[in-house]
Structure formats: C-alpha cells, structure tokens
Amino acid sequence: MTTVIETTRFSVLDRSRTREGATAPQALRDTVTLAQDLERLGYHRLWVSEHHGVPGVAGSAPTVLAAAVAAATRTIRVGTGGVMLPNHRPLVVAEQFGVLESLFPGRIDMGIGRSVGFTDGVRRALGRGKDAAETDDFAGQLDELLAFFAGTSPTRVHARPSEGLTVPPYVLAMGEGADIAARAGLPLVIGDLRGRERMLRGVDHYRAQFRPSVWAAEPYVVISGTVAVAGSEPEARRLLVPEAWSMAHARTHGTFPPLPPAERVAALEMTAKERELYESGLRGHIAGTEAQVAQELAEVIAASGAQEVLVTTSTYDREGLLESYRRLARIARLRPPQGPGG
C-alpha cells in the first residue's frame, strides 16, 4: 500500500553552514558534494540560501552557488531558498535566473523571499532600513520580476536571456507573504515545523485565497523544517545540538557563529538565558528513529496536505547529516530520477 509519505516529494535546503575548524570555502564545497549525494539518493531538489555578513553561513550569493551545484549534478533540480528580493533589482534577478535556465534547462527553480539583513550593519551595507521587508512593495517587486520573463514589463526593458523562458517561481513566506503567493498564483514554501499550528493556518489561508495563474493552476504547498533521522533518538537529537547552540548564541550575542561539535556544546557552561534558548532550539523538530520520523512525517503531511517537504537540517557532523538523509530516503522510498524533471 502506498503511504502519504511515498506520494510526497522530498527536497533539501542547504545553507552552507560553516563549521568550527573548517573554512567558508569548504562549506561551499560541502554543499556541492551534498547535492551530488542527494541526487544519487533520489531527492527532488537542492536549494541554496542568501545570507550576508554571517560568520556561520558561507552562502551569500545563491545564484552563483546554484550554478556550481547544477554544473556538478545531472538530474536533481537546483534553485534558491531564496533570493531576497528586497536586496536586488528585479531585472538583475530575472537576468541571473535566465542565465541559469539557459545553461541548465528544465532544472532551475526560482525561490524568492522578502527578508533583509540580520544586523543593522548588514542592512546599511545593502542599502536597506531595519523595516525594509515590511515597507517595501514585495508584491510589486514580484510582479515586476515575473513580467520580465513574460516580456510584459511596464519599463519596456527586455530581460536577456530570460524573456520567454519558464523558471518556476516559489514564494518563501509566513503571514502576509502567504497572501502574496496566493494572489499571484504561485507555489508556497512555508515553515517551520516547530510552529505547526501557525504553519497550518498559513497553509489553509493560502489555499482559500489562491488564484490560478500561468505559473500554477492549483495551490502547491512545500512545508519546510528540520528532520533528523538516526539509529536512536539520542543520536538524532545529537544532530540538532550544534545549530540549537549557535542559534542560542546568536540571540544572546548578536552573531551566528560556525557550528560547534555536539561534544563541545555538552561541556559548555551556559547562562540561564542561553540554556533556555538552547533547550528551546532542540524542541519541535522531527527527529528520531526511522519509525518515529515516519509516523510524525505522515501526520504533518496529512494535516497540511503538502505536496513537498523541504528539509533544512544543519549540523557539524557531515557524515551524520548524510546518514540522516540516507535514512529519510529509505522512509520515503526515494529513487534516483532518470532525467531532468519538474
């Protein structure tokens, strides 16, 4: 009998996290290598992200990294999760994705978000204010971007080589962003799994407000979050430790650091606030043995009606991460595709 998990696509967002004792260039190479491994396992897509001025993240130029990933793979779809549109001119974004689609036809996804820089300094360097994501006309920017592919830009400028190409767009969103995706008739990427009630409300609202478009005739929902699978529950929890600590450090010190090994985190003396944030960072994810993860995944997929799960797991232990993806591939009964697919 086919299960709900087996009818769901599984994809990965890799943020090119840097690790203690390793360099940022190594983190980028790790992302490329991971894409090759995920392709062999049968994952549907590999997406890369945009972060600026963050010590713990090497991925600052997603379309550049996507090109490297696509060049090193053959069948897996490649895209961005996402390009932050407030940081760029829509024409330039259209041109970049037009080049990617021209070089790797039928394999490129255009994930678009609306976040701005993590710190005041980064926002100033990007020419953005603290509230830029709230005050900018993201819906208008999105319309302008898509118009360049259709050749209908009111500027009368023609994006080359983008015009006439089809690069599937996705909106990364919570709250108002889900409304924008629905009104534009675009697929929605929504997270995270730790705030499930809010996520499910957003999904319901998106479906209720969805307007069919040339990009999507029906709502398409991708739910995103951390999934860790191991031989035991403690082993799976161990994979969550580095990012939980780095996030706690970021919220108490203002800087997201490279991921530390789990063993070092276990030996740390934390302040009460750090401990509270660290423990909070370990809760709410889907983590455990294959049987435990399969059950929880089936429940959240059934509740959300999602067509796809975008896994966003980061950890210090690269072999442990790959093993988690191997186990998840077994749960979902993934098979490597025979050629580029949508």
Side-chain angles (χ1 to χ4, degrees), residues 179-197:
D179 284 335
I180 293 171
R183 291 195 299 270
L186 300 179
L188 174 71
V189 183
I190 188 167
D192 67 19
L193 295 173
R194 289 186 298 171
R196 296 195 198 170
E197 289 188 8

Side-chain angles (χ1 to χ4, degrees), residues 64-317:
V64 176
L65 183 53
V69 170
T73 53
R74 184 177 60 88
T75 57
I76 194 169
R77 295 192 65 86
V78 178
T80 55
V83 166
M84 296 302 138
L85 200 51
N87 296 338
H88 310 276
R89 296 304 307 164
L91 171 62
V92 175
V93 175
E95 290 171 337
Q96 290 174 345
F97 280 96
V99 170
L100 284 170
E101 176 63 21
S102 299
L103 293 173
F104 309 102
R107 292 179 56 206
I108 301 300
D109 301 320
M110 183 169 61
I112 300 297
R114 63 197 296 260
S115 296
V116 292
F118 182 66
T119 66
D120 288 340
V122 169
R123 286 190 289 268
R124 286 195 300 272
L126 291 169
R128 317 306 297 158
K130 182 176 181 180
D131 300 320
E134 286 71 35
T135 58
D136 280 353
D137 180 14
F138 178 69
Q141 291 175 315
L142 188 60
D143 288 343
E144 183 180 350
L145 170 63
L146 299 179
F148 283 118
F149 288 93
T152 58
S153 172
T155 65
R156 299 185 180 181
V157 171
H158 296 274
R160 309 294 186 196
S162 315
E163 190 171 306
L165 297 180
T166 299
V167 183
Y170 296 76
V171 174
L172 283 63
M174 287 292 287
E176 183 186 348
D179 284 335
I180 293 171
R183 291 195 299 270
L186 300 179
L188 174 71
V189 183
I190 188 167
D192 67 19
L193 295 173
R194 289 186 298 171
R196 296 195 198 170
E197 289 188 8
R198 183 186 179 196
M199 181 186 75
L200 293 175
R201 288 196 303 270
V203 169
D204 289 344
H205 186 72
Y206 163 73
R207 287 203 175 98
Q209 301 297 319
F210 184 84
R211 301 174 184 173
S213 73
V214 296
W215 300 102
E218 299 177 346
Y220 188 90
V221 174
V222 183
I223 55 174
S224 67
T226 294
V227 180
V229 198
S232 68
E233 197 169 352
E235 289 178 82
R237 180 183 170 90
R238 176 179 171 274
L239 293 176
L240 305 178
V241 165
E243 178 145 323
W245 164 246
S246 292
M247 188 60 72
H249 185 278
R251 291 178 178 173
T252 51
H253 295 79
T255 302
F256 190 95
L259 297 173
E263 293 74 19
R264 189 175 80 74
V265 176
L268 289 173
E269 291 187 9
M270 303 184 195
T271 66
K273 185 63 173 178
E274 287 172 337
R275 176 66 63 180
E276 176 189 352
L277 291 169
Y278 167 66
E279 293 292 346
S280 175
L282 292 172
R283 292 192 293 269
H285 306 290
I286 296 180
T289 63
E290 290 181 37
Q292 290 171 320
V293 168
Q295 179 177 343
E296 195 167 356
L297 272 175
E299 290 172 356
V300 73
I301 292 169
S304 65
Q307 289 96 331
E308 188 169 343
V309 176
L310 182 68
V311 183
T312 62
T313 310
S314 298
T315 191
Y316 177 88
D317 181 358

Side-chain angles (χ1 to χ4, degrees), residues 319-332:
E319 181 52 43
L321 180 64
L322 181 56
E323 177 61 19
S324 177
Y325 285 131
R326 289 191 191 107
R327 290 176 179 271
L328 181 57
R330 284 202 294 268
I331 293 170

